[in-house]
């Protein structure tokens, strides 16, 4: 089955104050953490980005309209790229690893379906794997910006995890500093 990986990187970074995708964590740009995992999963990698951007050396899918949120980014990728399995990662979640994504892919048991994690009884919509070869998801409306609303009609399977680090995302400088401490002192990562 053809698998593509995509980094969702079209946000404003308004809480961060500047473009967090290029902020450095342990000497590496935030987006590079996601790109590393994306290429470990598939050689076919895309960046879903703002309508007016390019990323030299990478395949991109530009937002049709600016800042409509991750649900529209997902829908745009599925519309533009033909695949059986779509892997979506956030540009600001540096602790997602290949084994986290592989676990989601391995849980695919029907089509169409979206597979994501559940932690402490809360659905976590990123990272997410979507198996939708017939592009059923495109019948849904992405205008409300929520990933859950986009995927709920194709079916959602959850995988329970207690690993909260998977979902650690960088929204502001204090999150970035916390991530630096985690990398420095933790053996979980």
């Amino acid at each position: 089955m053809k698998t593509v990986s995509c980094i969702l990187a079209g946000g404003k970074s308004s809480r961060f104050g500047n473009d967090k995708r290029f902020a450095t964590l342990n000497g590496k740009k935030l987006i590079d953490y996601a790109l590393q995992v994306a290429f470990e999963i598939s050689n076919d990698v895309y960046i879903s980005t703002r309508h007016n951007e390019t990323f030299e050396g990478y395949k991109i899918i530009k937002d049709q309209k600016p800042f409509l949120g991750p649900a529209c980014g997902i829908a745009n990728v599925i519309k533009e790229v033909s695949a059986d399995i779509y892997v979506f990662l956030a540009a600001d979640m540096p602790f997602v690893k290949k084994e986290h994504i592989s676990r989601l892919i391995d849980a695919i048991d029907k089509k169409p379906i979206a597979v994501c994690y559940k932690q402490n009884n809360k659905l976590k919509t990123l990272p997410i794997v979507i198996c939708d070869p017939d592009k059923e998801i495109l019948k849904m409306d992405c205008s409300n910006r929520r990933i859950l609303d986009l995927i709920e009609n194709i079916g959602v399977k959850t995988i329970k995890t207690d690993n909260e680090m998977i979902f650690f995302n960088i929204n502001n400088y204090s999150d970035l500093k916390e991530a630096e401490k985690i990398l420095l002192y933790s053996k979980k990562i």
Side-chain angles (χ1 to χ4, degrees):
M1 294 206 300
K2 182 180 177 186
T3 301
V4 299
S5 298
C6 181
I7 312 304
L8 297 172
K12 292 181 185 180
S13 299
S14 54
R15 289 176 281 182
F16 197 77
N18 56 29
D19 197 337
K20 66 181 172 181
R21 301 171 299 177
F22 304 111
T24 57
L25 173 61
N26 204 26
K28 188 173 171 181
K29 290 183 232 170
L30 276 182
I31 195 167
D32 289 340
Y33 285 90
L35 283 166
Q36 179 180 340
V37 174
F39 278 108
E40 289 173 358
I41 297 297
S42 172
N43 290 326
D44 201 3
V45 175
Y46 293 82
I47 299 174
S48 171
T49 189
R50 301 171 190 151
H51 69 288
N52 59 350
E53 288 186 308
T54 60
F55 278 81
E56 191 67 36
Y58 294 100
K59 295 184 273 188
I60 61 167
I61 304 291
K62 293 183 179 184
D63 289 344
Q64 294 173 350
K65 295 180 183 177
F67 310 119
L68 289 180
C72 285
I74 288 171
N76 284 340
V77 171
I78 291 173
K79 179 180 177 186
E80 297 294 326
V81 179
S82 179
D84 298 299
I85 298 173
Y86 301 88
V87 174
F88 292 96
L89 304 157
D92 62 355
M93 295 173 70
F95 301 135
V96 174
K97 303 291 182 213
K98 178 185 177 183
E99 56 265 22
H100 303 138
I101 303 304
S102 295
R103 192 169 172 213
L104 295 175
I105 292 171
D106 290 345
I108 294 170
D109 60 358
K110 66 177 185 171
K111 301 171 192 171
I113 192 154
V115 184
C116 55
Y117 283 104
K118 185 179 264 191
Q119 191 232 357
N120 294 331
N121 290 320
K122 184 174 180 190
L123 189 70
K124 303 290 188 172
T125 54
L126 285 173
I128 192 167
V129 171
I130 298 173
C131 181
D132 188 16
D134 297 325
K135 301 191 180 215
E136 293 291 318
I137 207 165
L138 296 179
K139 296 176 183 173
M140 313 324 161
D141 180 18
C142 73
S143 63
N144 66 7
R145 306 167 63 114
R146 289 174 17 119
I147 295 171
L148 182 58
D149 291 337
L150 183 67
I151 62 173
E152 65 185 355
N153 290 328
I154 66 165
V156 179
K157 181 175 184 177
T158 59
I159 305 297
K160 186 178 177 189
T161 184
D162 293 325
N163 183 351
E164 62 188 25
M165 296 312 302
I166 299 170
F167 316 109
F168 187 97
N169 68 317
I170 311 292
N171 288 314
N172 52 49
Y173 278 106
S174 64
D175 292 339
L176 185 64
K177 294 300 177 194
E178 181 67 22
E180 289 171 355
K181 289 179 190 174
I182 291 167
L183 285 175
L184 186 61
Y185 299 111
S186 178
K187 296 186 186 215
K188 293 181 191 176
I189 308 304

